[in-house]
Amino acid sequence: MTVVSTPQPALPVRDKGAGRALSPMLTRLAEERATGVLVREHGVLHLAEGRVVHAESPLAPGLDVLLTAHGTLAAAAWQQAAARTAGPLHAAELLLRSGVLPTGALELCHLDAVYDAGYFALAPSSTPGRFRYDSAPRLGPLPSVPVVALERETLRRRLLLHRLWPDPAADTAPLIRADPATGRTPADPAGPAGPVTPGRRAARVAPATPVTPRQRAVLDRVDGMRTAADIARNLGRQAFHTLVDVRRLTAAGQIAPAPAAPAPPPPPPYQVTTDPDIALLKRLRDALEAL
Amino acid sequence: MPGIDECLLEAMRLPGARGAALVDWTSGLALGTVGEAPGGDHETTAAEAAELARMAAEHGTFAAGGDDLPPVEDVIISNGDSYHLLRFVDTSFDSSVFLHLWLGREEGNLALARIRLGEMAARLVLG
């Protein structure tokens, strides 16, 4: 007997010859060991002496979500720490000092959050980034990440997602369930959503690959409304980890990006009235005369 | 309470330890490394070890029976001159990390290392 499944592409190893930087501005800031906050379209990097100490993105769950979603930390404990400090990084440092969380757990969660939000903060953007020199970020007790390491990891993650499934549409769109046998979605019974190339068609009709428990959790939350970022927040899971499962489930034909909402119907053409409303005109005349 | 670096340094005190790393098996990222890596490159080692860990973690064949148990505790590879010990870290938050210990075969004690690495993994996230 044979069991055929789509082989998983290998995790990429960075190309050491590739010297391209994701953001020339960020490279310059790292070289001058700048301290401040870099605001980009999809996220924010806090730099201290040229190292990334904290990152935030609306597309990635923050440290608070990661820590409280599964009861590692009580939500009230986070809120107390956040109320007494000037931001999530300082709240995390306060938690570290107070010893309510094991050091290793907090360091691990913090690094996860930095690389996760950093991935989105460094995503291609349509607007230039802005850097605000600010003495507030500083190298604290939690681990920081060299800019070059974050850039390299971000490039490697892009490559990993691309190898799993080359179309990024499912990363940001609301997701819908699809029939893995045909790749057909309820909204588009005629065929798979999106453009079909021979490769895509082949991938969609490949024998169903088993869904892992972690993928099952993602699949169970696909409801036609939630995006990958929503599912990550709902699961208290890193957004990039969720994207990996979303791309794999898309490749397996289990889910698809929801088709874009149809354009609103064009406004009705201006109607030329041949029969004016006599009553309205009379009221208007009376009103004008009364002035 | 030990942080990531202290945990890895403690692993390096095991007899025969050549190198250790804390690796995320979804992305293949090394969150911390110490000592040597086979081939001299921790990044490549992390990506390759992550492949192996992911295969073990995701295939039902290797999973423990109970729902409340982590699917897999560790993965052990032995070759002519060394052992590789991958110990999954069971965190209360959502994560996918393991400790990777590379151990020389002559000096290393696999049974001892397996027990100690399990204790270190627990202390790392439980304090």
Side-chain angles (χ1 to χ4, degrees):
Chain A
M1 63 153 260
T2 56
V3 176
V4 181
S5 65
T6 317
Q8 186 76 20
L11 288 171
V13 174
R14 81 187 156 99
D15 174 9
K16 294 196 180 57
R20 68 199 164 110
L22 286 169
S23 156
M25 184 198 250
L26 187 56
T27 307
R28 184 170 51 75
L29 292 168
E31 280 166 1
E32 67 177 60
R33 299 168 57 82
T35 295
V37 181
L38 177 65
V39 181
R40 286 174 55 95
E41 189 178 14
H42 300 295
V44 175
L45 299 180
H46 294 239
L47 303 185
E49 298 174 36
R51 294 172 67 94
V52 184
V53 290
H54 178 63
E56 280 177 58
S57 166
L59 296 170
L63 188 62
D64 53 334
V65 176
L66 297 178
L67 284 174
T68 57
H70 300 271
T72 307
L73 181 71
W78 176 270
Q79 282 157 10
Q80 275 176 12
R84 291 171 53 193
T85 51
L89 177 63
H90 295 106
E93 289 175 359
L94 178 62
L95 290 171
L96 185 70
R97 281 198 303 275
S98 64
V100 292
L101 283 174
T103 307
L106 197 52
E107 287 184 358
L108 177 52
C109 232
H110 167 72
L111 282 174
D112 281 346
V114 167
Y115 279 104
D116 200 34
Y119 171 82
F120 296 99
L122 291 177
S125 58
S126 55
T127 54
R130 286 175 291 115
F131 186 72
R132 192 178 69 237
Y133 287 92
D134 182 343
S135 58
R138 54 185 168 67
L139 292 174
L142 284 166
S144 57
V145 177
V147 161
V148 66
L150 179 62
E151 288 193 310
R152 224 162 50 205
E153 178 60 13
T154 297
L155 284 171
R156 213 179 55 83
R157 289 181 176 205
R158 280 189 203 168
L159 185 58
L160 167 59
L161 290 183
H162 181 77
R163 286 185 186 172
L164 291 171
W165 184 251
D167 185 354
D171 292 4
T172 47
L175 298 167
I176 53 174
R177 301 285 282 261
D179 177 357
T182 61
R184 290 177 184 177
T185 60
D188 179 21
V196 179
T197 61
R200 282 184 73 152
R201 174 82 74 181
R204 292 213 182 253
V205 297
T209 31
V211 173
T212 67
R214 287 176 68 80
Q215 287 173 356
R216 171 62 56 192
V218 172
L219 198 53
D220 286 347
R221 282 161 180 79
V222 169
D223 62 358
M225 307 286 286
R226 292 188 179 115
T227 62
D230 298 331
I231 292 172
R233 198 163 291 112
N234 187 274
L235 283 170
R237 183 177 290 181
Q238 292 167 56
F240 178 75
H241 284 189
T242 311
L243 287 188
V244 167
D245 280 333
V246 161
R247 294 262 188 138
R248 287 164 76 188
L249 287 166
T250 309
Q254 296 272 4
I255 60 174
Y270 181 71
Q271 299 198 339
V272 180
T273 312
T274 51
D275 180 18
D277 187 334
I278 303 296
L280 177 66
L281 288 175
K282 279 185 176 170
R283 282 212 309 280
L284 201 57
R285 184 196 61 194
D286 293 347
L288 287 169
E289 283 177 355
L291 286 175
Chain B
M1 286 186 286
I4 294 169
D5 288 345
E6 290 81 3
C7 177
L8 294 175
L9 288 169
E10 191 184 345
M12 285 302 285
R13 285 200 290 271
L14 284 164
R18 292 177 180 173
L22 180 71
V23 181
D24 175 65
W25 55 257
T26 306
S27 65
L29 169 69
L31 293 158
T33 60
V34 64
E36 301 167 67
D41 180 10
H42 277 291
E43 244 175 279
T44 307
T45 301
E48 292 179 0
E51 284 292 337
L52 182 66
R54 191 182 61 75
M55 296 292 281
E58 290 190 342
H59 285 76
T61 303
F62 309 114
D67 277 348
D68 50 343
L69 297 170
V72 176
E73 269 182 2
D74 37 35
V75 175
I76 298 167
I77 297 268
S78 66
N79 63 35
D81 79 330
S82 65
Y83 298 115
H84 289 269
L85 191 49
L86 315 186
R87 175 76 192 202
F88 289 86
V89 182
D90 189 22
T91 57
S92 57
F93 51 93
D94 192 280
S95 74
S96 59
V97 290
F98 63 93
L99 284 167
H100 177 192
L101 176 65
W102 185 35
L103 212 55
R105 187 158 178 147
E106 282 288 303
E107 322 84 67
N109 178 335
L110 185 57
L112 175 79
R114 186 180 163 271
I115 292 167
R116 290 278 180 275
L117 204 60
E119 292 167 357
M120 290 172 208
R123 265 204 308 281
L124 177 66
V125 289
L126 300 176

